[in-house]
Amino acid sequence: MNILVTGGGGFLGQALCRALVARGHRVTSFNRGHYPALDAIGVRQVAGDLADREAVMTAFAGGSQAAGFEAVFHNAAKAGTWGSYDSYHQANVVGTRNVLEACRAHGIGKLVYTSTPSVTHRATHPVEGGTAQTVPYGEDFQAPYATTKMIAEKAVLAANDAALATVALRPRLIWGPGDNQILPRLVERARAGRLRIVGSGDNRVDTTYIDNAAQAHLDAFDHLAPGAACAGKAYFISNGEPWPMREVLNALLRAAGAPEVRKHLPFRAAYAVGVACEALWTLLPLKSEPPMTRFLAEQLSTTHWYSMAPATRDFGYVPRVSMDEGLRRLRDSLRPDATPLRDA
């Protein structure tokens, strides 16, 4: 098939592109930048901004491709814990609306959307074995990322019909070889002695190894069609192995050869630090992300794990790489003599 991936140069985007190419599909990535790693595997790249309607329309037309695109993996988004609401709105809401409009205009029949469990965030409310049917959308997010991703997910699911089948996946905390966001920050702070466990660290959380996250997207893609069980629905995605937060953090740090974190910061103190940081970063304003926000303090200290039963039932998703195996692969990829898997 002729498939378009938005944000194919990112961590999950590259994994999706590699998996699709390995299946024999013709893959095009719509990115803001240019990525040699995608050139190396034969992925065609089109530069543009999701918030630019004309750029999206032109890219989705297929250009020099012999046939138009038959499916889209909409993975691109503005992520993070800090930034203006408008910057998130433009990328995540306006960008997604442009994607949906372009799918309609060019007769593209399948859209797999990468969402986030953050769309269901509710302060310190724990989630244990939740599904999209039992866990409602969140409120009072205190973070534009979660707010705008919720708006975008609702738009994607509402667009599902006989002409365009849509599905939204919510992978929880993706990690693994090639991660150039979460792990490097953890390592940097651990080595500088600035990393803390918020609360007791006993709160159990789900995470998702990168290959499992990509697999879930392909499983959903394989089953997606008008009237399919997964069409028009959202699904939590993870390894299905909830671990205490302190064990997740320290396992990742050990794999990277960084010192483990032992010191704790009570939730109330972390929340207060988040309030102070948000005020300071707004007042100055600073370009970097603050080390703590209210949303981050809540996320780090609250139990969040989900049931994979709906994803297994509706499109056959069963994680293939366990936490232990994923950690081994991550450790091996970070050896000095390891061959780089990704160029992000």
Side-chain angles (χ1 to χ4, degrees):
M1 293 180 68
N2 198 14
I3 297 173
L4 181 112
V5 178
T6 68
F11 182 33
L12 176 58
Q14 288 194 28
L16 290 173
C17 287
R18 281 195 305 274
L20 290 167
V21 169
R23 287 183 165 203
H25 296 299
R26 293 166 294 172
V27 181
T28 296
S29 178
F30 182 73
N31 319 297
R32 294 186 67 178
H34 188 87
Y35 298 85
L38 296 182
D39 288 335
I41 59 174
V43 172
R44 173 176 171 261
Q45 298 185 65
V46 177
D49 190 325
L50 282 172
D52 183 341
R53 178 183 177 279
E54 292 308 314
V56 174
M57 280 290 184
T58 299
F60 278 51
S64 61
Q65 298 292 299
F69 295 113
E70 299 162 85
V72 170
F73 286 77
H74 180 27
N75 165 72
K78 178 176 173 61
T81 59
W82 191 249
S84 71
Y85 181 86
D86 184 65
S87 66
Y88 283 92
H89 181 83
Q90 289 296 315
N92 298 341
V93 178
V94 175
T96 298
R97 289 172 181 165
N98 288 339
V99 166
L100 291 170
E101 184 180 355
C103 285
R104 297 283 190 205
H106 298 295
I108 299 170
K110 299 173 71 168
L111 173 63
V112 180
Y113 174 64
T114 307
S115 187
T116 169
S118 293
V119 302
T120 62
H121 177 77
R122 286 175 177 263
T124 55
H125 182 73
V127 176
E128 299 177 290
T131 68
Q133 288 69 47
T134 62
V135 182
Y137 283 113
E139 56 188 15
D140 190 24
F141 290 113
Q142 302 171 350
Y145 172 66
T147 303
T148 55
K149 288 293 285 185
M150 179 185 70
I151 296 170
E153 180 186 288
K154 287 182 176 180
V156 167
L157 299 182
N160 178 71
D161 61 18
L164 175 62
T166 69
V167 63
L169 304 186
R170 303 168 176 172
R172 167 70 173 172
L173 190 61
I174 303 174
W175 59 276
D179 174 14
N180 64 348
Q181 295 292 328
I182 296 176
L183 186 60
R185 293 182 185 182
L186 287 177
V187 169
E188 177 187 9
R189 293 183 183 182
R191 288 176 175 163
R194 295 187 288 109
L195 191 62
R196 298 290 186 273
I197 296 171
V198 177
S200 68
D202 292 333
N203 54 301
R204 296 170 71 202
V205 296
D206 263 338
T207 66
T208 316
Y209 183 69
I210 180 62
D211 290 0
N212 291 334
Q215 174 202 328
H217 282 70
L218 268 65
D219 288 343
F221 166 74
D222 287 342
H223 288 75
L224 184 60
C230 62
K233 296 180 183 177
Y235 297 86
F236 292 108
I237 298 297
S238 77
N239 260 55
E241 300 174 83
W243 284 15
M245 177 61 83
R246 67 173 182 279
E247 291 186 20
V248 172
L249 292 174
N250 285 325
L252 291 173
L253 291 170
R254 285 194 301 270
E260 295 184 24
V261 56
R262 300 296 183 190
K263 296 182 179 179
H264 293 251
L265 185 64
F267 166 72
R268 290 187 181 277
Y271 193 87
V273 170
V275 171
C277 285
E278 290 179 32
L280 184 62
W281 260 249
T282 300
L283 179 66
L284 290 181
L286 299 173
K287 293 184 178 180
S288 61
E289 285 197 354
M292 183 60 67
T293 64
R294 292 171 293 170
F295 181 79
L296 186 57
E298 292 169 351
Q299 285 279 301
L300 290 174
S301 62
T302 306
T303 291
H304 289 110
W305 60 274
Y306 309 94
S307 171
M308 296 302 100
T312 301
R313 178 195 67 223
D314 290 349
F315 52 89
Y317 171 67
V318 177
R320 297 174 186 170
V321 183
S322 69
M323 292 286 291
D324 288 338
E325 172 61 16
L327 288 165
R328 183 193 68 76
R329 294 184 187 185
L330 176 61
R331 183 174 60 252
D332 289 349
S333 75
L334 296 172
R335 294 197 320 262
D337 60 341
T339 301
L341 293 179
R342 299 171 176 85
D343 180 5

